[in-house]
Amino acid sequence: MGKRDKKEEPAAPVGPFHNPFAALAAKREALPVGPATPAAAPVRKPEPKGPARAVVRMERKGRGGKEVTVVEHLELPVPQREVWLKALKNSLGCGGVVEDDTLVLQGDQRERLPALLEARGVRKVTVG
């Protein structure tokens, strides 16, 4: 084994290397107090406007025994139906399609669907 050279380790720096804001910390107490913020009145959200009613029912007929949930009587324009269907499919984690004026979602979604429809502004949800 050979000799090891003993090298002195440099001293650790006291603070971060060249901190331009270090001098400002001492002057923090000398800053003037800002204006008091007035307490704003609570903003009341307007009730979301949506269809007046919706009928939610489960159906198996003509679908090879598969269960689907049908949402009827929404009375939405065609582009709006597509937007609602996409949002409901994402929330429920299922597939679906627009058939005529109804939304058809895969599976039995009768328990979870009314809360989602009410959150989107439907005033009355009838589950059948």
Side-chain angles (χ1 to χ4, degrees), residues 76-97:
L76 293 171
V78 177
Q80 193 72 18
R81 280 185 222 140
E82 294 289 337
V83 172
W84 276 54
L85 178 69
K86 184 171 182 174
L88 291 174
K89 287 184 345 184
N90 286 339
S91 298
L92 295 168
C94 67
V97 67

Side-chain angles (χ1 to χ4, degrees), residues 58-68 107-108:
M58 192 189 70
E59 187 177 276
R60 280 194 201 109
K61 214 175 223 184
R63 303 187 189 276
K66 304 286 184 186
E67 295 178 341
V68 295
D108 185 3

